[in-house]
């Protein structure tokens, strides 16, 4: 089966068209694994390359990622349980006292686009709320965002709270936000810092691989 | 300066009113929602409040069109709604550039004091906004201290954000003591407060509580939306403008609902996103365009505006900083904005300041004010008599007409390089940056307290939590 039309729809970020083509292919009895590998993932590789070359803007990339997610939802029931797994799970939130969420939302969208499952705790998230989410969701990574230099200490508090709850070893911790630095990540015992959403995805992949 | 016709402004306004009526604003405070519902305003289960035209107009009509942001010595009073433009600096950054090393460090309480001292001396920076976070202060008495340093170093009007209602109380108690009582402060408020809605279309509880507190105490305030075109607002200038206008009107209307007649500025802090990378582009030309148009939208309702200009994404006081600041300052000035913040000291998309940048911006603002003063045309300035007196082939250098007019007619920059080449090399090839640096060093060395000794003693006794920077 020729999957170029499907790939093209994903690259274009044409959600309706891509869903329709995926459904048609599934109905025609096409192997979902082939649809995934040669239709969706290959399309996203092209999207990633084009973005890196500066040919695509962020909203275009995010739309393609969303298109892929929607197609994946159609494929999901046709796989035996467990054979399509997410790249990893990340619990993400803006720390206590901080209401800035544009950067955090961007990180969430890019991670989802890259195949991660994101549990977004929103803004003003207290250390206890991170602890609760980790014990319930069992993520690979905890991501924290702070845009205020005054709320950064809450990142340290959260790392400590996770240690006290005995959960620190179970997760990798990644932090970011304009005033946050790599040095600060080291100081508070977080595993990684990423300066922007693009590098957050790369680092998240590495963290999951290294765990 | 007009980028939109009367008709286009009307269309944007109509769209904003539809947003408020049909989409509504989220009010994240149960108490305020209940009070709105009791007043007959439609409140939905999803915390959205719909502001219908007649209710909106009735609230906006209660907002004062003219009021004054006072200075402490009466020399720099800011008459809002008078048609005059006032530029000032912006806050509250977290790092400062050290020009000598080109390195950045987290800001401290002494940076609040130093920036206030500079603004006090810089003529065209007409008010002082608390410039930075004081990372060496504990949260418990934070706003007692950052406002204290501001008052201690400048007599110009002081504006600042407060982190909480408690912070607003600390600031108010301090200012009332300096004024000699709550009533004196209410009569001539020399301090005002910044709050922000959260774009798109959301108002949080603490901001509303702070607005209400300020209203009750007669402290002027703004509730200034900061939508980012392409991120928290549509990726079109008209769409961002419509949403911004809706948010700004909602801020004014809610402030009036909480305390009718309270002095509040329509706020506009629009910016754009660079959609190639999702970096903030606060120095973009579209940022300047949106903020320019917001002036007409505010003035359509006779409301004075807390507008934005003079911002840059540049890291250093460099060429990019110069052109981004120059363009937007001039546009907002020519649009007739009442009160323009962010226009001094800032770099790095609003994350950093540099002391030298205050001096450089003062010069850009001096040029801008000169343009706004316009060209005097009269018999005297047309100078027919002088032209006849000098006649063909003469010169004007020593003519009395020159001496009579030269002070008022020209703006005399102090940083721009105008020396001739030989003199310039003799002086060590100075640049505006090096001249600004020298001026900063000299000014800070000689700066004095702007509170008299007895008052300082009284304040330190009364508020023992005040610390030295
Ligand atoms: C928009 C904005 C707001 C909006 C927020 C709207 C929203 N929904 O988020 C509003 C108007 C509500 C707001 C409010 C306030 N703000 Co504000 N705000 C900003 C502004 C202009 C832009 C922030 C932004 O969205 N940037 C764009 C995004 C895409 O970038 P980003 O957040 O940095 O995210 C990227 C990276 O950092 C990274 N990243 C982010 N999070 C994470 C997480 C992880 C895990 C990883 C790996 C990476 C990562 O990836 C992102 C994408 O590339 C900044 C100035 C600036 N230039 O940053 C000030 C700024 C952050 N705000 C500031 C202040 C002071 C405030 C207020 C206190 C104002 C006041 N009243 O005085 C309030 C605080 C409210 C609160 N309790 O949080 C200061 C902070 C100073 C400080 N002490 O640190 C700044 C620097 C502005 C200033 N100079 O005053 N603000």
């Amino acid at each position: 089966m020729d999957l170029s039309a499907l790939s093209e729809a994903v690259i274009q970020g044409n959600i309706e068209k891509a869903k329709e083509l995926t459904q048609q292919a599934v109905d025609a009895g096409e192997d979902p694994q082939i649809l995934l590998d040669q239709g969706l993932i290959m399309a996203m590789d092209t999207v990633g390359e084009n973005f890196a070359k500066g040919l695509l803007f962020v909203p275009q990339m995010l739309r393609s990622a969303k298109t892929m997610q929607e197609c994946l939802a159609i494929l999901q029931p046709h796989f035996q349980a467990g054979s399509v797994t997410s790249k990893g799970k990340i619990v993400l939130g803006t720390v206590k006292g901080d209401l800035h969420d544009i950067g955090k939302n961007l990180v969430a969208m890019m991670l989802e686009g890259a195949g991660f499952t994101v549990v977004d705790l929103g803004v003003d998230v207290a250390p206890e709320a991170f602890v609760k989410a980790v014990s319930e969701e069992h993520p690979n990574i905890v991501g924290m965002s702070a845009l205020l230099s005054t709320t950064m200490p809450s990142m340290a508090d959260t790392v400590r709270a996770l240690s006290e709850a005995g959960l620190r070893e179970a997760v990798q911790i990644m932090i970011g936000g304009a005033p946050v630095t790599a040095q600060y990540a080291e100081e508070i015992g977080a595993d990684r810092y990423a300066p922007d959403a693009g590098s957050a995805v790369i680092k998240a992949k590495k963290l999951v691989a290294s765990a | 300066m007009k980028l939109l016709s009367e008709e286009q402004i009307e269309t944007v306004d109509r769209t904003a009113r539809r947003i408020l009526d049909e989409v509504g604003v989220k009010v994240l405070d149960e108490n305020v929602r209940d009070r709105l519902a009791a007043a007959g305003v439609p409140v939905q289960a999803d915390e959205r409040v719909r502001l219908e035209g007649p209710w909106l107009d009735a609230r906006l009509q209660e907002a004062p069109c003219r009021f004054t942001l006072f200075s402490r010595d009466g020399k720099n009073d800011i008459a809002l709604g008078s048609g005059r433009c006032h530029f000032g600096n912006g806050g509250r950054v977290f790092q400062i550039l050290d020009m000598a090393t080109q390195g950045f460090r987290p800001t401290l309480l002494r940076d609040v004091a130093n920036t206030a001292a500079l603004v006090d001396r810089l003529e065209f920076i007409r008010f002082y906004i608390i410039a930075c976070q004081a990372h060496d202060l504990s949260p418990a008495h934070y706003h007692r201290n950052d406002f204290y340093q501001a008052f201690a170093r400048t007599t110009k009007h002081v504006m600042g954000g407060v982190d909480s209602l408690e912070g607003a109380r600390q600031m108010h108690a301090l200012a009332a003591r300096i004024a000699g009582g709550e009533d004196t402060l209410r009569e001539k408020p020399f301090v005002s407060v910044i709050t922000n809605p959260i774009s798109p279309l959301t108002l949080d509880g603490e901001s509303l509580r702070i607005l209400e507190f300020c209203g009750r105490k007669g402290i002027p305030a703004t509730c200034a939306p900061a939508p980012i075109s392409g991120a928290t607002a549509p990726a079109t200038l008209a769409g961002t403008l419509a949403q911004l206008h809706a948010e700004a009107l909602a801020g004014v209307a809610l402030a009036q609902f909480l305390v009718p007649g309270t002095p509040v500025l329509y706020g506009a802090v629009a910016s754009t996103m660079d959609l190639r990378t999702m970096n903030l582009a606060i120095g973009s030309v579209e940022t300047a365009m949106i903020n320019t148009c917001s002036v007409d939208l505010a003035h359509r309702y006779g409301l004075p505006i807390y507008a934005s200009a003079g911002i840059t994404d540049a890291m250093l006081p460099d060429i990019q900083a110069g052109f981004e600041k120059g363009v937007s300052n001039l546009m907002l000035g020519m649009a007739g904005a009442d009160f323009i913040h962010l226009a001094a000291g800032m770099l790095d998309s609003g994350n950093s300041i540099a002391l030298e940048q205050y001096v450089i911006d003062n010069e850009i603002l001096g040029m801008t004010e000169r343009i706004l003063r316009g060209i005097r045309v009269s018999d005297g300035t047309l100078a027919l008599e002088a032209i006849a007196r000098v006649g063909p082939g003469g010169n004007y250098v020593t003519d009395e007409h020159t001496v009579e007019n030269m002070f008022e007619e020209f703006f005399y920059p102090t940083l721009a390089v105008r020396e001739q080449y030989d003199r310039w090399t003799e002086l060590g090839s100075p640049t505006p940056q090096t001249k600004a640096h020298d001026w900063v060093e000299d000014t800070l060395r000689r700066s004095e307290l702007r509170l008299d000794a007895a008052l300082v003693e009284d304040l330190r006794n009364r508020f023992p939590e005040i610390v030295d920077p």
Side-chain angles (χ1 to χ4, degrees):
Chain A
M1 184 172 197
D2 180 15
L3 295 177
S4 61
L6 175 59
S7 290
E8 196 48 36
V10 174
I11 291 168
Q12 294 294 327
N14 187 337
I15 298 179
E16 285 317 307
K17 182 82 178 287
K19 277 168 66 178
E20 196 185 307
L21 290 171
T22 306
Q23 193 62 58
Q24 275 172 17
V26 168
D27 294 345
E30 189 65 50
D31 179 354
Q33 193 64 49
I34 291 177
L35 281 173
L36 177 64
D37 292 342
Q38 288 166 30
L40 306 181
I41 290 182
M42 265 165 69
M44 281 312 288
D45 286 347
T46 310
V47 169
E49 275 165 35
N50 288 345
F51 178 70
K53 283 189 214 145
L55 298 174
L56 288 181
F57 287 19
V58 175
Q60 292 171 298
M61 184 184 49
L62 292 176
R63 258 196 89 78
S64 290
K66 182 145 198 276
T67 308
M68 149 131 179
Q69 294 294 317
E70 302 254 340
C71 295
L72 205 56
I74 296 175
L75 296 183
Q76 204 83 48
H78 301 278
F79 286 106
Q80 291 102 313
S83 64
V84 175
T85 47
S86 101
K87 285 251 168 61
K89 197 183 216 182
I90 174 159
V91 160
L92 191 64
T94 300
V95 298
K96 190 174 161 119
D98 205 322
L99 303 177
H100 295 83
D101 66 359
I102 301 168
K104 185 258 305 162
N105 292 348
L106 204 61
V107 171
M109 282 190 271
M110 299 272 275
L111 284 168
E112 276 177 353
F116 284 86
T117 307
V118 177
V119 180
D120 189 344
L121 303 181
V123 296
D124 194 11
V125 182
E128 311 83 67
F130 275 108
V131 170
K132 183 161 177 278
V134 170
S135 57
E136 285 167 6
E137 299 284 349
H138 310 292
N140 309 73
I141 301 174
V142 171
M144 288 183 270
S145 179
L147 259 284
L148 295 170
S149 52
T150 46
T151 55
M152 281 164 58
S154 183
M155 293 179 154
D157 296 344
T158 305
V159 175
R160 207 170 307 121
L162 285 168
S163 299
E164 278 161 16
L167 294 167
R168 178 65 189 88
E169 300 308 317
V171 291
Q172 305 274 3
I173 297 177
M174 182 159 72
I175 63 175
V180 180
T181 60
Q183 192 197 332
Y184 185 71
E186 201 166 307
E187 265 170 46
I188 66 167
D191 299 295
R192 277 287 187 292
Y193 156 78
D196 55 44
S199 41
V201 171
I202 296 168
K203 292 191 175 173
K205 284 182 181 164
K206 284 199 183 132
L207 281 177
V208 172
S210 71
Chain B
M1 164 164 280
K2 298 252 177 278
L3 294 175
L4 293 177
S5 67
E6 196 64 39
E7 205 176 301
Q8 288 173 317
I9 285 287
E10 224 180 284
T11 320
V12 173
D13 181 41
R14 212 177 313 124
T15 308
R17 295 174 65 98
R18 286 190 60 184
I19 294 172
L20 290 175
D21 185 345
E22 296 168 24
V23 183
V25 291
K26 214 170 205 179
V27 176
L28 302 178
D29 187 81
E30 200 180 340
N31 172 277
V32 174
R33 281 199 308 275
D34 288 349
R35 284 155 71 186
L36 284 163
V41 176
V43 176
Q44 297 174 188
D46 60 359
E47 304 186 326
R48 279 197 215 183
V49 174
R50 293 192 10 249
L51 308 182
E52 295 163 329
W55 184 88
L56 183 71
D57 287 328
R59 297 292 79 70
L60 295 176
Q61 245 140 45
E62 286 168 331
C65 300
R66 288 168 162 257
F67 54 95
T68 300
L69 302 177
F70 289 91
S71 55
R72 267 185 13 251
D73 58 4
K75 288 187 189 147
N76 282 286
D77 292 351
I78 295 171
L80 300 172
S82 66
R84 252 202 77 179
C85 251
H86 308 82
F87 289 93
N89 71 317
R92 195 189 333 157
V93 310
F94 60 84
Q95 57 183 7
I96 183 167
L97 169 68
D98 179 349
M99 280 279 277
T101 63
Q102 305 260 303
F104 291 82
R105 64 158 170 80
T107 46
L108 302 169
L109 186 57
R110 71 164 195 269
D111 300 314
V112 175
N114 286 343
T115 51
L118 294 181
V119 167
D120 193 61
R121 294 286 309 281
L122 291 165
E123 180 181 357
F124 304 105
I125 306 176
R126 304 279 175 191
F127 54 85
Y128 177 68
I129 286 185
I130 302 212
C132 57
Q133 190 74 39
H135 290 97
D136 45 348
L137 278 181
S138 72
H141 304 293
Y142 189 89
H143 289 302
R144 191 87 83 205
N145 275 289
D146 69 339
F147 278 91
Y148 176 82
Q149 287 306 325
F151 296 140
R153 295 291 169 171
T154 182
T155 52
K156 289 184 179 173
H157 185 83
V158 172
M159 195 180 209
V162 289
D163 294 329
S164 60
L165 183 56
E166 165 58 21
R169 288 207 174 95
Q170 289 180 8
M171 174 281 287
H172 180 259
L174 177 69
R177 190 77 187 175
I178 292 173
E182 271 200 30
D183 291 337
T184 341
L185 180 62
R186 182 189 296 275
E187 234 163 78
K188 288 196 169 184
F190 53 78
V191 62
S192 52
V193 166
I194 307 163
T195 65
N196 309 96
I198 302 169
S199 297
L201 300 165
T202 306
L203 285 138
D204 82 296
E206 198 68 358
S207 293
L208 291 169
R209 283 186 286 277
I210 293 167
L211 273 179
E212 182 165 12
F213 173 83
C214 289
R216 295 206 185 291
K217 299 294 186 186
I219 300 292
T222 185
C223 186
I228 305 175
S229 186
T232 54
T236 49
L237 306 198
T240 299
L241 206 48
Q243 184 189 306
L244 167 85
H245 186 46
E247 292 167 339
L249 288 181
V252 173
L254 282 168
Q256 298 308 318
F257 171 72
L258 295 169
V259 185
T262 187
V264 43
L265 290 105
Y266 175 109
V269 198
S271 62
T272 62
M273 205 85 184
D274 187 324
L275 293 172
R276 293 172 301 185
T277 54
M278 294 310 256
N279 289 327
L280 199 66
I282 213 168
S284 73
V285 69
E286 294 84 2
T287 295
M289 291 167 78
I290 301 167
N291 285 321
T292 298
C293 297
S294 68
V295 179
D296 280 347
L297 288 165
H299 288 174
R300 187 177 164 79
Y301 288 87
L303 297 167
I305 183 169
Y306 166 93
S308 312
I311 8 178
T312 180
D313 300 304
M315 295 293 158
L316 304 172
D318 59 9
I319 296 168
Q320 181 186 344
F323 64 67
E324 289 181 347
K325 284 162 176 278
V327 166
S328 63
N329 281 334
L330 187 55
M331 285 172 71
L332 269 287
M334 292 187 78
D338 305 82
F339 182 98
I340 303 168
H341 86 310
L342 304 179
M346 301 179 95
L347 291 164
D348 177 18
S349 311
N351 288 324
S352 306
I353 48 170
L355 297 181
E356 292 77 5
Q357 191 64 52
Y358 286 82
V359 195
I360 296 168
D361 289 335
N362 182 63
E363 188 141 310
I364 298 176
L365 297 176
M367 291 167 71
T368 310
E369 283 202 9
R370 173 64 193 91
I371 294 169
L372 298 182
R373 268 204 346 259
I375 300 178
R376 298 177 298 149
V377 180
S378 66
D379 285 349
T381 61
L382 287 166
L384 181 58
E385 262 177 43
I387 293 167
R389 194 163 50 236
V390 170
N395 75 61
Y396 295 87
V397 179
T398 55
D399 194 86
E400 63 195 63
H401 184 268
T402 301
V403 180
E404 269 164 27
N405 286 283
M406 64 184 189
F407 296 111
E408 205 184 325
E409 201 67 359
F410 302 103
F411 169 67
Y412 295 96
T414 52
L415 300 184
V417 173
R418 289 182 175 174
E419 292 84 3
Q420 40 120 301
Y421 181 77
D422 288 343
R423 178 69 188 134
W424 179 69
T425 45
E426 227 174 79
L427 288 169
S429 314
T431 63
Q433 291 94 321
T434 61
K435 291 187 194 181
H437 183 74
D438 294 345
W439 190 88
V440 166
E441 300 249 291
D442 185 53
T443 302
L444 292 183
R445 199 175 319 116
R446 292 187 294 115
S447 98
E448 284 163 11
L449 283 189
R450 292 299 200 198
L451 294 170
D452 68 48
L455 185 54
V456 169
E457 201 185 309
D458 171 67
L459 293 172
R460 306 273 319 224
N461 282 334
R462 181 151 193 101
F463 307 114
E465 62 276 16
I466 289 177
V467 297
D468 290 314

